[in-house]
Amino acid sequence: SCGMAAPTMEERKACWGARDEFWRCLDRLGDEAAECEKLRRAFEARCPQQWVKHFDKRRDFLKYKKKLETEGYHPPEAAGKS
């Protein structure tokens, strides 16, 4: 697709599908998993770059929220003093 043209419904579906597959892979194998790399590339290829940035932020936020829910809040200064 060219420049800032709004994605069509088909393109949006392809983008969301690629994102969901990528995220599922990360959830299953962990965020550093090499196996998820090709899904990451598909996600980047199918989604406008702005969306990729937005979804990355969103995922970080959701992970952070989940962490808070499961572990509770730890003030930053407690980190690294194990």
Side-chain angles (χ1 to χ4, degrees):
S1 67
C2 54
M4 294 303 290
T8 64
M9 193 61 217
E10 287 307 298
E11 287 171 329
R12 283 203 296 270
K13 281 207 189 99
C15 170
W16 292 330
R19 177 203 61 190
D20 291 347
E21 256 186 278
F22 174 52
W23 283 12
R24 267 199 299 274
C25 183
L26 295 182
D27 288 342
R28 214 172 53 240
L29 301 172
D31 284 357
E32 303 305 314
E35 293 92 315
C36 302
E37 261 310 296
K38 63 181 189 298
L39 294 174
R40 167 87 202 176
R41 283 196 291 274
F43 165 53
E44 287 179 351
R46 292 197 186 117
C47 299
Q49 213 194 344
Q50 278 311 108
W51 290 26
V52 171
K53 286 199 187 104
H54 167 77
F55 287 140
D56 283 348
K57 279 205 196 78
R58 175 129 190 88
R59 184 173 166 81
D60 285 345
F61 172 73
L62 293 173
K63 271 197 339 211
Y64 176 69
K65 234 177 72 163
K66 198 190 224 150
K67 198 174 146 93
L68 287 187
E69 282 159 16
T70 50
E71 298 171 19
Y73 176 69
H74 300 295
E77 63 268 20
K81 286 212 186 95
S82 52

